[in-house]
Amino acid sequence: MPECDVLVVGGGVAGLRAALAAQEAGARVALLSKTHPVRSHSAASPGGFNAALSTEDSAEQHAQDSAHASAGLCEFTALETLCEEAPQEALRLDHLGVPFTRTHEGALALRQLNGSRQPRAIFAADFTGHVVLHTLYEQLLKAQIPVYDEWCVTSLVVDCDQCQGVLAFELRTGDIAAFAAPAIILATGGAGRLYRRSTASRSCTGDGMSLAYRAGLRLVDMEMVQYHPLGFRAHRAFASEAALAEGALLCDMAGRPLLQPGSPVTRDALCRIMAETNGEQQKDGWFLLDMRPLGKDVIASHFQHLHRIANDLAGVNIDHEPLPVRPLAHRLLGGVETMLDGATALPGLFAAGECAWLGVHGANALAGNTLTTSVVFGRRAGAAAAAYARAARPTPLPEAVVNDQYARLHAIFSRPASEDTVARISHDLAALMDEYVGLVRDGSGLASAAEQLIALQERYARVGLRHHGKIYNAELLAFFELASLLDVAEAVIAAAQARKESRGAHYR
């Protein structure tokens, strides 16, 4: 295994930015990821990257809009840091070669996303996250940072109250290894797969949150599950809210607009409007996104990705007909409690991106802030981890920790297979979260969810695997991912029960 000062777990935008920053600070860096980095969920952030770049805008206005969207639950110091450092990170990405959309004069084009009073999101048509992810990965290759993709981390190695490494198994071989490093950065992404109706990629199973939780760290604001209003029918795809900002209409099934064009409504408020409209007027739960007011030229230049996937996945040509949409679970706004530099309460462990909590989003994330948060605080975590590693004394991991992991796998394989399966428990968990811990919640439903979750945890403790092979054992991977999802579900349900009020994404 590599000798490194900083080990980054996760290959999305936050992980890549952290790895580059750590190397720039003089550290030896390695990156470990469950998927290949360019398949990370960061690619699914279409709308833009918020940064106050225009003369009419400012970091103060950006912070005020974000604080208003957060329903007053944000940590303002973290929010100020985000807004002040966003412009320099935006220009850094531009200089690295991210192909952002530009005006006829050659300047960076800006679009106004929902909840913002100014156009402040730089963008690349409607696949901004995709091009940012690929550009950062190119820089990782240029920097010759070793990447270990298709490795699933199963636990943190904690000794003498310090995080000293991770245990992981390789999907393609089934080999188990210990990765030692003075500083570990968790950048594993979110846990959207808790929900069946979700925009999340298959890899979004809350691994980093669960690893930290089992190590005794706090998870904060876990009740805040943000929904995206423009999810596709029967698919995990979604349309960028930039469509509404640029003049598309969101209508009920009778064609009546829910909003005036360009209304500066936040994401949580729009989802509540849709939930209330659905209860009063509709029974099927679907709405219509009408892109036709934008015209074919704007659709072709700004929404080419939506045009293609709407046709491929939903069979809808948005040039000529509206697209059926509905709210889908989008991302968890809570995560592992961290400081502004990504440090957690466990020495040697840092976190960044969607698995980390700094209080930036509060009860609702401003559209366009998520990608910015990953880049800004990914850089800060990388630099801080490198500084920590310089002062830390490397400690070799004992061989016993790997042997313990082998014993754990043997115990899992020794369980007898039955009619119950990992896939069935995962399906039941997602259905449970959809029904009782979704967009609209109530006390009795949350109590029922807590009771049923205990039964799912008991089933998980008994379930056996049907496939015992080592090479690409998808059932074994799903087994570990389900453990993470059950941990995160427990935190989400408990936090939702504790917060009696309705605030932002928590609509009770």
Side-chain angles (χ1 to χ4, degrees):
M1 291 300 102
E3 292 186 3
C4 61
D5 304 313
V6 176
L7 176 66
V8 180
V9 181
V13 164
L16 296 177
R17 187 66 187 94
L20 291 168
Q23 190 189 67
E24 289 165 4
R28 297 173 301 168
V29 183
L31 186 141
L32 187 153
S33 178
K34 189 169 67 174
T35 65
H36 191 280
V38 298
R39 295 182 60 206
S40 299
H41 183 64
S42 297
S45 295
F49 180 106
N50 279 344
L53 295 173
S54 72
T55 55
E56 293 80 16
D57 200 6
S58 66
E60 290 75 16
Q61 280 197 49
H62 184 186
Q64 289 169 5
D65 289 349
S66 301
H68 179 264
S70 77
L73 206 62
C74 64
E75 293 291 329
F76 207 74
T77 302
L79 191 54
E80 286 181 323
T81 301
L82 173 75
C83 299
E84 289 169 0
E85 297 184 7
Q88 68 190 45
E89 286 299 315
L91 296 177
R92 173 69 182 272
L93 292 175
D94 183 42
H95 295 162
L96 289 178
V98 177
F100 289 119
T101 300
R102 296 184 177 272
T103 65
H104 291 298
E105 293 76 24
L108 289 169
L110 297 172
R111 64 171 35 142
Q112 184 173 352
L113 298 178
N114 283 3
S116 294
R117 291 176 292 171
Q118 295 287 345
R120 68 166 61 94
I122 57 175
F123 61 99
D126 59 341
F127 42 86
T128 310
H130 177 86
V131 296
V132 170
L133 179 69
H134 277 252
T135 302
L136 289 176
Y137 181 63
E138 290 169 358
Q139 295 300 312
L140 198 79
L141 297 178
K142 178 182 177 182
Q144 297 184 336
I145 294 174
V147 176
Y148 296 82
D149 60 282
E150 296 190 334
W151 280 84
C152 175
V153 174
T154 59
S155 61
L156 302 175
V157 178
V158 179
D159 189 31
C160 299
D161 295 326
Q162 291 187 340
C163 185
Q164 299 181 352
V166 303
L167 291 176
F169 74 91
E170 187 178 26
L171 274 64
R172 62 173 64 93
T173 64
D175 291 341
I176 299 170
F179 291 77
I184 307 293
I185 302 175
L186 295 178
T188 56
R193 288 298 302 278
L194 269 179
Y195 294 85
R196 184 178 52 188
R197 297 169 182 164
S198 161
T199 65
S201 302
R202 293 194 62 86
S203 60
C204 296
T205 52
D207 301 341
M209 299 177 194
S210 175
L211 290 169
Y213 184 50
R214 291 178 212 161
L217 297 179
R218 293 208 315 163
L219 302 180
V220 184
D221 283 352
M222 295 299 288
E223 72 275 23
M224 299 302 174
V225 180
Q226 187 173 56
Y227 273 65
H228 197 288
L230 305 180
F232 284 18
R233 184 192 301 268
H235 294 285
R236 295 185 180 274
F238 60 98
S240 170
E241 289 162 289
L244 299 178
E246 297 195 23
L249 296 177
L250 182 62
C251 307
D252 61 19
M253 294 302 288
R256 296 182 292 264
L258 301 185
L259 302 169
Q260 293 300 317
S263 297
V265 64
T266 56
R267 186 176 290 170
D268 62 319
L270 179 54
C271 287
R272 284 197 298 272
I273 291 172
M274 296 172 79
E276 292 165 358
T277 303
N278 183 50
E280 294 173 2
Q281 303 175 14
Q282 307 186 162
K283 295 182 180 180
D284 55 12
W286 293 98
F287 297 83
L288 299 174
L289 177 65
D290 192 350
M291 301 287 290
R292 291 174 294 184
L294 277 64
K296 293 183 179 180
D297 291 342
V298 172
I299 292 173
S301 60
H302 286 190
F303 300 98
Q304 53 191 272
H305 179 63
L306 175 60
H307 189 283
R308 183 175 68 254
I309 63 173
N311 186 68
D312 291 347
L313 299 181
V316 173
N317 185 337
I318 58 174
D319 286 339
H320 303 294
E321 56 185 322
L323 175 67
V325 296
R326 69 183 301 176
L328 297 180
H330 190 46
R331 60 170 51 94
L332 273 65
L333 304 181
V336 184
E337 185 178 32
T338 65
M339 307 295 287
L340 292 180
D341 61 358
T344 70
L346 178 62
L349 184 65
F350 298 76
E354 199 171 336
C355 73
W357 176 91
L358 298 107
V360 168
H361 302 309
N364 180 65
L366 183 69
N369 269 4
T370 305
L371 194 57
T372 309
T373 300
S374 293
V375 173
V376 169
F377 290 106
R379 179 193 64 78
R380 293 177 69 89
Y388 178 90
R390 282 196 298 270
R393 179 178 300 176
T395 303
L397 299 182
E399 188 175 337
V401 299
V402 179
N403 293 335
D404 289 344
Q405 187 67 12
Y406 273 116
R408 182 186 178 194
L409 285 181
H410 179 72
I412 293 170
F413 285 136
S414 298
R415 296 180 187 177
S418 64
E419 291 185 0
D420 208 4
T421 63
V422 171
R424 187 169 296 170
I425 299 171
S426 299
H427 177 273
D428 292 348
L429 174 62
L432 167 73
M433 297 299 289
D434 274 348
E435 183 173 359
Y436 298 116
V437 203
L439 178 58
V440 181
R441 308 161 177 180
D442 59 51
S444 61
L446 292 171
S448 179
E451 292 177 3
Q452 293 183 45
L453 180 65
I454 294 173
L456 292 175
Q457 292 169 329
E458 292 173 348
R459 288 169 59 189
Y460 177 79
R462 297 188 303 267
V463 72
L465 302 185
R466 300 186 176 188
H467 177 44
H468 291 183
K470 285 189 173 183
I471 299 173
Y472 285 110
N473 188 334
E475 189 182 23
L476 180 62
L477 174 62
F479 179 87
F480 283 110
E481 290 179 330
L482 177 56
S484 298
L485 289 171
L486 288 168
D487 286 344
V488 176
E490 182 178 16
V492 171
I493 294 170
Q497 286 182 298
R499 185 176 292 279
K500 306 299 183 183
E501 64 175 348
S502 287
R503 183 179 290 212
H506 178 62
Y507 186 35
R508 180 160 170 165

